[in-house]
Amino acid sequence: MAERTKYILDEADLPTQWYNVVPDLPEPPPPPLHPGTREPVGPEDLAPLFPQALIAQEVSTERYVDIPEEVRDVYRLWRPSPLYRAHRLEKALGTPARIYYKYEGVSPVGSHKPNTAVPQAFYNAAEGVTRLTTETGAGQWGSALAFACAQYGLECEVWQVRASYDQKPYRKLMMETFGATVHPSPSALTESGRKILADDPESTGSLGIAISEAVEQAAADPNARYALGSVLNHVLMHQTVIGEETLKQFELAGDTPDILVGCTGGGSNFGGLAFPFLREKLAGRMNPVIRAVEPAACPTLTRGTYAYDFGDTAGLTPLLKMHTLGHGFIPDPIHAGGLRYHGMSPLISHIYELGLIEAIAVGQRECFAAGVRFARAEGIVPAPEPTHALAACIQEALRCRETGEEKVILTALCGHAHLDLPAYGAYLSGEMVDNELSDDVLATSLAELP
């Protein structure tokens, strides 16, 4: 009998609760600070941007938070998502390692992002909000929020990083199909955008700039709120449906991961897979190595400074204690647009500082080589972001080939590349280059920390 390839859960196995890792950590994470007073921010400081339900989740000390049935009903469109055993990749690599990937590309927009977009839209609609503003890099988050807003009858306005807006026009079309309005960022529609354009009319943009524009618009409209696709605690908590399902699927497989690998930009995909496994590790029920993988061109964990910094370029957000390259950092327009963020989730940064996870950085040519290798073996063309995790998986699998170790490797394939194929075109044509972050650029950016 052939070995099993897919591990599928029934809809009855859909998680009923999100997992909040904070109560299980040895130390609580540092709080966000008001930039004027340097005191911890309160609910009233966040109320212009977020509904009360999400503010409560952001600061929650409860280990589990119930998922509303209205959210689970939308989740059922694609959840539970499949766990695959990568038999063909293992064979192609000649490795004794067993490789598994949790595939989030089955969602309506082809990525993990709706796991948080749906509850964010639900809670906003429940509190009478009529319009959501947001930023997006590669367009996966903007597509997810546009889809979620369509489910609850909300207007959606998206500022997309100019580099990705130009590289990936079909993402814009997907957002517009779901009913969203999309602007390239920086734009002339906001004060923060106009300032950037005055200094650099050809600016390729950044997630920090796009966040500034979306926050500025939300704060000025009493009927609007802002939605963030990564970084914040409540966002990562919503994503833990990934890891909770994967734990059940590993029970079906009769296996336990020795190493868990995830790509990291703001941290939502990584945290969504890793946090439930970290819970099990802290409880002594398993002991996987947990490894974050980021771009060498935007290496927040591996080369950033752990400090309080703004989450956006214009300084409109609270100060977050996180690994940062400086809020003024403008990354090279590498193809993994979802990983081009100057900071890292404060929660993941804190967990990294506690030594509970490790991190590496990989150049984009190695990542796309891994993506092509994976596609030719497994039949799924991965989005540029998870190619970083796949590169690290392949590194580990090849080490196992040398040592003979039969390690179990797990990763989250957080999306497909059906709307990112020009990036593969750049790689396959030989036009892609590796953009390493220089020490001088990093020093200049970090000198602007508040």
Side-chain angles (χ1 to χ4, degrees):
M1 181 178 176
E3 287 193 88
R4 190 167 174 178
T5 297
K6 296 190 300 296
Y7 296 88
I8 306 292
L9 299 177
D10 189 82
E11 284 186 13
D13 298 311
L14 182 67
T16 59
Q17 295 178 312
W18 294 301
Y19 168 59
N20 178 17
V21 73
V22 172
D24 289 330
L25 297 178
E27 302 172 21
L33 301 182
H34 190 286
T37 64
R38 293 273 176 161
E39 294 295 323
V41 298
E44 66 282 358
D45 298 310
L46 299 175
L49 296 181
F50 304 107
Q52 290 301 317
L54 292 180
I55 293 172
Q57 291 180 8
E58 184 65 21
V59 299
S60 176
T61 56
E62 297 295 321
R63 185 170 282 106
Y64 296 98
V65 174
D66 290 340
I67 304 175
E69 187 55 37
E70 297 91 335
V71 171
R72 294 180 79 239
D73 188 51
V74 181
Y75 276 176
R76 289 186 184 95
L77 290 173
W78 75 97
R79 304 219 68 86
S81 64
L83 177 74
Y84 284 82
R85 169 81 183 273
H87 292 293
R88 289 165 177 77
L89 181 62
E90 294 167 11
K91 184 177 179 180
L93 297 174
T95 181
R98 299 191 293 281
I99 303 172
Y100 294 84
Y101 57 96
K102 177 69 163 168
Y103 184 43
E104 292 294 299
V106 294
S107 82
V109 301
S111 79
H112 68 294
K113 292 294 188 177
N115 296 331
T116 184
V118 170
Q120 288 193 51
F122 166 75
Y123 287 119
N124 275 284
E127 294 189 20
V129 173
T130 60
R131 172 177 170 243
L132 288 180
T133 69
T134 197
E135 80 296 326
T136 194
Q140 290 182 343
W141 167 243
S143 300
L145 191 67
F147 156 73
C149 285
Q151 303 307 303
Y152 300 106
L154 299 176
E155 296 177 37
C156 182
E157 194 163 6
V158 182
W159 274 262
Q160 184 173 15
V161 175
R162 165 63 79 173
S164 290
Y165 183 92
D166 293 338
Q167 288 172 353
K168 301 171 182 180
Y170 295 113
R171 277 290 174 191
K172 172 179 177 285
L173 292 175
M174 176 179 274
M175 290 183 260
E176 291 175 339
T177 299
F178 285 127
T181 302
V182 188
H183 312 291
S185 174
S187 75
L189 299 172
T190 66
E191 182 180 349
S192 49
R194 289 190 291 271
K195 285 182 178 178
I196 296 292
L197 290 173
D199 293 337
D200 181 8
E202 302 302 318
S203 173
T204 56
S206 72
L207 280 167
I209 295 169
I211 291 171
S212 294
E213 296 202 84
V215 166
E216 180 183 321
Q217 286 282 304
D221 181 354
N223 296 314
R225 294 294 183 272
Y226 167 68
L228 187 62
S230 192
V231 179
L232 297 179
N233 294 0
H234 68 271
V235 180
L236 274 64
M237 184 182 70
H238 296 158
Q239 293 290 355
T240 58
V241 292
I242 301 173
E244 295 288 23
E245 289 177 6
T246 307
L247 282 167
K248 291 183 180 180
Q249 287 161 319
F250 262 90
E251 289 180 13
L252 292 177
D255 230 337
T256 303
D258 297 303
I259 179 167
L260 182 156
V261 183
C263 64
T264 46
S268 68
N269 152 72
F270 176 78
L273 177 66
F275 285 176
F277 283 88
L278 179 58
R279 175 190 65 214
E280 301 303 300
K281 182 174 182 174
L282 291 171
R285 292 186 283 267
M286 60 177 64
N287 191 33
V289 171
I290 301 176
R291 182 173 300 155
V293 190
E294 58 189 9
C298 196
T300 49
L301 284 172
T302 53
R303 293 182 61 192
T305 294
Y306 187 52
Y308 274 103
D309 195 10
F310 292 107
D312 71 311
T313 300
L316 302 178
T317 67
L319 293 170
L320 305 173
K321 186 72 176 288
M322 61 184 178
H323 283 263
T324 179
L325 302 174
H327 62 278
F329 175 72
I330 307 294
D332 288 319
I334 58 172
H335 292 281
L339 305 185
R340 291 194 304 244
Y341 182 57
H342 69 269
M344 179 57 62
S345 156
L347 192 48
I348 287 178
S349 296
H350 176 63
I351 290 170
Y352 182 64
E353 287 295 307
L354 293 175
L356 299 176
I357 62 172
E358 57 187 52
I360 63 172
V362 184
Q364 67 175 355
R365 283 190 294 184
E366 181 181 353
C367 295
F368 275 88
V372 169
R373 201 169 196 175
F374 181 89
R376 292 176 181 175
E378 293 292 316
I380 299 171
V381 183
E385 290 79 12
T387 62
H388 292 69
L390 291 173
C393 285
I394 290 173
Q395 290 175 5
E396 194 69 30
L398 293 178
R399 280 193 286 269
C400 288
R401 186 175 71 185
E402 297 302 315
T403 64
E405 294 175 280
E406 297 182 5
K407 286 186 178 181
V408 178
I409 304 169
L410 167 65
T411 191
L413 185 57
C414 57
H416 63 63
H418 297 175
L419 299 181
D420 300 295
L421 290 174
Y424 278 87
Y427 171 76
L428 294 169
S429 68
E431 297 173 7
M432 183 175 287
V433 297
D434 282 327
N435 299 327
E436 293 279 346
L437 176 60
S438 74
D439 291 336
D440 289 344
V441 169
L442 180 58
T444 300
S445 181
L446 290 176
E448 300 173 2
L449 288 176

